[in-house]
Amino acid sequence: MWLKKIGGLVAILSLSFSGMAIAETTKDNFYLQVGSNRNGDPIVLDLASVKGTEYTLLEQHGNGIERRTLRAACIQGRLFSRRLAVYESNGHLTRVDKTEQEIFPKPRSADANSMEIVCRVAANRTK
């Protein structure tokens, strides 16, 4: 699996969140599958990246990895793309886009699913 490029695979777990979700742990990170791309490759939420309502999604991009940093405005139900970085399979950074823009996720998409998870966690922290 392509996540092995990020670190050594330790375990695969099954979780239930709005249906079936797949989670993986590596030595220092925990990834939760929140959707898939057009090719059927997983799109994962890097749970270690979550800082308040800012977080990172990872997905396969050719032989490399695309890393998107998103920020959720949970109360307003809005989602913003903050940064896009594309890495080759050897880890070399090939492209960066730091243009912040609002995105409008479709229901049940990886963007919508990840936003729901992050916003629920953020809401539970404030209680």
Side-chain angles (χ1 to χ4, degrees):
M1 185 169 256
W2 62 271
L3 284 176
K4 289 184 183 180
K5 297 174 187 172
I6 297 172
L9 185 62
V10 175
I12 297 177
L13 309 168
S14 293
L15 299 176
S16 178
F17 185 87
S18 301
M20 183 61 80
I22 304 294
E24 296 187 11
T25 62
T26 63
K27 186 175 179 180
D28 299 317
N29 294 60
F30 188 71
Y31 302 97
L32 179 65
Q33 183 174 345
V34 292
S36 57
N37 63 18
R38 290 182 185 115
N39 297 327
D41 299 317
I43 299 174
V44 297
L45 168 60
D46 179 355
L47 292 171
S49 75
V50 177
K51 305 284 187 273
T53 60
E54 186 168 299
Y55 61 95
T56 300
L57 292 182
L58 302 165
E59 75 178 274
Q60 187 167 349
H61 183 82
N63 289 329
I65 295 175
E66 180 179 282
R67 180 182 178 104
R68 292 189 300 139
T69 303
L70 303 169
R71 182 180 58 83
C74 299
I75 294 171
Q76 296 88 13
R78 298 172 70 190
L79 185 62
F80 299 88
S81 173
R82 300 210 45 175
R83 184 175 193 264
L84 169 73
V86 179
Y87 298 87
E88 292 178 349
S89 60
N90 64 6
H92 183 262
L93 179 64
T94 60
R95 188 173 108 210
V96 175
D97 182 356
K98 294 183 181 180
T99 305
E100 183 166 341
Q101 61 186 357
E102 185 170 4
I103 57 177
F104 304 93
K106 295 178 182 171
R108 302 180 64 85
S109 67
D111 290 343
N113 292 342
S114 62
M115 181 178 170
E116 181 180 350
I117 293 166
V118 169
C119 288
R120 281 188 185 185
V121 170
N124 287 335
R125 285 184 182 155
T126 60
K127 289 181 181 181

